[in-house]
Amino acid sequence: MKYQNEVVTEIIGLQYGDEGKGKVSCRQTPGSKLVIRATGGNNAGHTVVYQGKKYALHLIPSGIVCKGTICILAPGMVIDPSVLIKEIEMLKESGISVTPHNLKISNRAHVIMPYHKELDEYREHLKSKPIGTTKSGIGPCYAGKADRVGIRMIDIKNCSELRNKNIRQKIFEEMLTFTRKDFCDISSYNDKKLDEYVSLCVKYHYSLSPYICDTQNIINDCISNGNKIVIEGAQAFSLDIDHGDYPFVTSSNPNASGTLSACCIGPKNVKDVIGVIKAYMSRVGEGPFPTEQNNAVGNKIRELGHEYGTTTGRPRRCGWLDLVQVNDAVIANSVTKLAVNHIDTIGKLLEICVCIGYQYHGRLISSTRLDKKNCKPVYSHPFDGWEIPKNCKTYDDLPIAAKKYISFIEDFTGTPVVYIGIGAKDEDVIVREDHTSIENGGGWNI
Ligand code: IMP
C-alpha cells in the first residue's frame, strides 16, 4: 500500500474562478514537498507576496518561494513557453531561486504556439455569441491535443538547431488541421511561417530543456514517502468543460477529480479538498449568472473588491453569493473544508442577500440546472453588514454579523469554513484549521 498514503490537499475554486485560491495555497505550501499546478495555462493568474514584494504569476505555483518545495507543471497543463520563460526570469531577477531542482515541467504537458493564440482570437471574433476567452490560446491548444496533433514539452526537449525536422513536421500537421477548419487563407501556413515557428521552438528548447522531465516518478516517490503534496487548482467548477456552463467554460476539467487526473494521482491519496469561494460571486467573460447584479450593487461590489481580471484587466461581473451553486460544487468535488474570501468586502454593504434556491418554471428547486438562465434566484432574508475591526486575528474577533454569515454558509453546505479572508494581503486570513463541527450539522431544505 505504499502508494496509497493520504498526502494530497487539493485547492479547488467552486465558483467562476478568481476566488483567491493563491491565498489558501500560500497557507498550505509551507511544509509541502510538492506544489503542483494541474490544468489550464496562463488564463489563470495569482499574486504572491514574498518578503513584502508582489509577484504576478500565471503558470508557476506560489510554492516557488518556499525553500525545499518542488513545483510541478503537470501533464494536464497547456503551457505558453514565452510566458513561462518571462515568469522564470522575473522571479530570478527578484532573487528567487528557480532551478531544475525546484521547477519541473512535465514532458507530457502541451505547448501553446502563437497560432493557438491567433486562432483563439479569430474564433471569438467569428462567433455570434463569443465566450469571452482570455485569448491566450487555451482552447485551440487543448483542441490540438484532442486531435492528437499537439506539440508537447517532450518535443521541445528533443528539438535543437540540428534536430528540428521532427518538430517541423508536427507543427505543419497541427497547423494544417487548424488551417482546414479555420483559416481560408492558405498562405498563413507557408514555409516562412513554419521556419519562424521552428526557430521559436529551438529558442524554447535552450531556455526550458533543463526543467522538462517525467514528473511521475517525483510524484510517486513523494506519495510512497508520505510527503505532503498540494495541488493548486486553476479556474473553477462552473468553468469546467463537462460540468460548467458549456459553452461558456474553459477547455479543461478543473474539478477535484479532473485535477487529480491531470497530475496522474489516484483518488486514495487525497486527504483534503479545500473549496475556495468568495463571499459574493464574480465572473469574467460571458455565460449565465443567476445572481448577477447588473446595477449599483454590482458596481459597488466590483469597486470594493477590486474586481478586475489579473490576466486581462477586464471588469468582472458581480453579484450575490449563490449557495445553491456552491453547495452543488461542494458535493461534486467532495469538499472537506471551505475557504471564504472577501468577508471584509461584502460586509461593507448595508444589506446582503444570499441565494438559497431557484424558481424554475414555477417550481422551487435547490440544485442547479443545465439551463441556468431560466433559474430565478430565491434569496434569504438580507443579512446586516459589518466592519472588520483593526487587529482582527481570530474568529472570536469577528463581528457577530460576520459570524452569522459564515455559519449560514457552513449550515447550508454542511462544511466547516477553516479560512476566512478579511483583507487584500496574504496575511489577512483567519485560520481555524481545527474547526470541524457545524452547529446545525449541515443540510438545508427550502
Ligand atoms: P479560456 O480559458 O481563456 O478559454 O476562457 C474561457 C472562459 O473561462 C472565459 O469566460 C474566461 O474568462 C474564463 N476563465 C478562464 N480562466 C479563468 C480564470 O483563471 N479565472 C476566471 N475566469 C477564467
Side-chain angles (χ1 to χ4, degrees):
M1 293 295 183
K2 71 180 200 160
Y3 291 105
Q4 291 195 1
N5 288 326
E6 287 178 15
V7 290
V8 175
T9 298
E10 292 189 76
I11 300 167
I12 301 292
L14 301 186
Q15 295 164 318
Y16 298 109
D18 310 310
E19 296 92 350
K21 296 177 283 290
K23 209 168 186 172
V24 178
S25 177
C26 285
R27 295 273 152 180
Q28 284 293 321
T29 298
S32 304
K33 186 76 191 164
L34 294 183
V35 182
I36 313 180
R37 173 73 200 276
T39 56
N42 59 302
N43 45 352
H46 63 253
T47 312
V48 180
V49 183
Y50 180 65
Q51 295 184 337
K53 227 179 141 188
K54 273 190 180 176
Y55 303 94
L57 298 175
H58 297 279
L59 291 164
I60 301 178
S62 49
I64 200 71
V65 298
C66 294
K67 279 212 170 79
T69 301
I70 298 170
C71 289
I72 288 184
L73 305 187
M77 282 189 76
V78 287
I79 301 170
D80 183 339
S82 64
V83 176
L84 181 57
I85 292 166
K86 274 198 202 127
E87 224 163 78
I88 295 173
E89 275 166 12
M90 180 271 290
L91 287 168
K92 281 183 174 172
E93 274 163 20
S94 309
I96 292 172
S97 160
V98 185
T99 70
H101 294 293
N102 69 346
L103 178 66
K104 316 265 181 194
I105 307 167
S106 166
N107 51 12
R108 292 171 183 268
H110 278 250
V111 177
I112 296 183
M113 296 290 289
Y115 49 84
H116 292 129
K117 290 184 266 188
E118 283 167 27
L119 216 50
D120 201 352
E121 190 144 7
Y122 182 72
R123 284 177 177 177
E124 280 286 275
H125 163 78
L126 278 189
K127 281 195 175 103
S128 57
K129 277 191 187 163
I131 293 165
T133 73
T134 56
K135 300 198 175 107
S136 35
I138 308 295
C141 187
Y142 275 119
K145 166 177 168 170
D147 247 341
R148 276 120 328 144
V149 289
I151 312 292
R152 295 194 296 173
M153 279 296 173
I154 187 70
D155 301 314
I156 298 293
K157 187 157 179 138
N158 288 343
C159 89
S160 64
E161 280 113 327
L162 301 175
R163 291 182 295 135
N164 62 31
K165 234 178 157 175
N166 201 12
I167 204 154
R168 191 186 178 85
Q169 182 61 24
K170 286 190 172 195
I171 294 171
F172 177 72
E173 279 168 20
E174 184 169 35
M175 287 194 70
L176 198 62
T177 314
F178 285 136
T179 305
R180 282 208 196 109
K181 285 190 211 149
D182 291 280
F183 289 123
C184 305
D185 181 6
I186 211 91
S187 64
S188 62
Y189 72 97
N190 60 23
D191 264 1
K192 199 162 153 256
K193 211 66 186 169
L194 261 179
D195 286 345
E196 209 180 281
Y197 293 146
V198 171
S199 315
L200 203 56
C201 288
V202 171
K203 190 178 140 220
Y204 295 159
H205 164 89
Y206 287 110
S207 300
L208 296 179
S209 274
Y211 301 96
I212 302 172
C213 61
D214 185 343
T215 51
Q216 196 62 50
N217 297 334
I218 306 166
I219 292 174
N220 289 351
D221 281 353
C222 210
I223 291 171
S224 69
N225 291 329
N227 296 133
K228 182 177 171 185
I229 300 177
V230 171
I231 305 182
E232 256 189 32
Q235 288 83 48
F237 187 60
S238 284
L239 292 174
D240 189 287
I241 190 163
D242 293 318
H243 312 295
D245 304 328
Y246 189 90
F248 302 103
V249 291
T250 193
S251 316
S252 59
N253 290 114
N255 69 69
S257 326
T259 294
L260 278 186
S261 160
C263 306
C264 198
I265 295 179
K268 286 218 166 172
N269 299 124
V270 179
K271 178 168 177 272
D272 270 315
V273 178
I274 304 179
V276 189
I277 63 171
K278 278 188 220 187
Y280 50 88
M281 310 290 286
S282 76
R283 175 165 205 166
V284 264
E286 302 305 316
F289 183 172
T291 60
E292 180 171 16
Q293 298 298 300
N294 197 0
N295 51 31
V297 170
N299 294 344
K300 188 152 191 197
I301 298 176
R302 183 178 312 110
E303 292 319 309
L304 290 171
H306 311 290
E307 292 296 347
Y308 295 89
T310 10
T311 303
T312 57
R314 290 179 288 178
R316 296 179 184 141
R317 300 156 65 193
C318 295
W320 298 123
L321 178 61
D322 186 340
L323 275 184
V324 179
Q325 189 182 319
V326 168
N327 193 44
D328 281 353
V330 163
I331 297 166
N333 292 281
S334 307
V335 169
T336 56
K337 294 171 177 172
L338 279 173
V340 183
N341 281 320
H342 281 282
I343 279 290
D344 55 320
T345 307
I346 201 70
K348 288 184 184 134
L349 275 76
L350 289 181
E351 281 199 338
I352 305 155
C353 295
V354 175
C355 169
I356 53 168
Y358 299 133
Q359 274 288 346
Y360 181 68
H361 297 306
R363 274 186 308 129
L364 202 53
I365 59 166
S366 56
S367 64
T368 43
R369 290 291 186 273
L370 188 61
D371 59 338
K372 241 188 206 172
K373 66 177 187 311
N374 284 318
C375 293
K376 303 272 169 287
V378 176
Y379 293 107
S380 66
H381 287 301
F383 287 78
D384 292 334
W386 54 82
E387 199 174 330
I388 303 292
K390 282 204 174 87
N391 295 325
C392 177
K393 296 264 179 272
T394 67
Y395 187 74
D396 289 341
D397 298 335
L398 281 172
I400 289 174
K403 286 184 191 165
K404 267 192 189 164
Y405 194 77
I406 292 160
S407 298
F408 192 79
I409 296 171
E410 292 189 324
D411 288 343
F412 198 97
T413 58
T415 311
V417 173
V418 298
Y419 293 110
I420 301 159
I422 53 164
K425 289 187 254 122
D426 274 346
E427 60 267 30
D428 296 334
V429 183
I430 291 173
V431 182
R432 33 179 211 163
E433 262 158 11
D434 48 356
H435 167 69
T436 47
S437 63
I438 313 290
E439 232 164 71
N440 295 336
W444 194 266
N445 289 315
I446 58 165

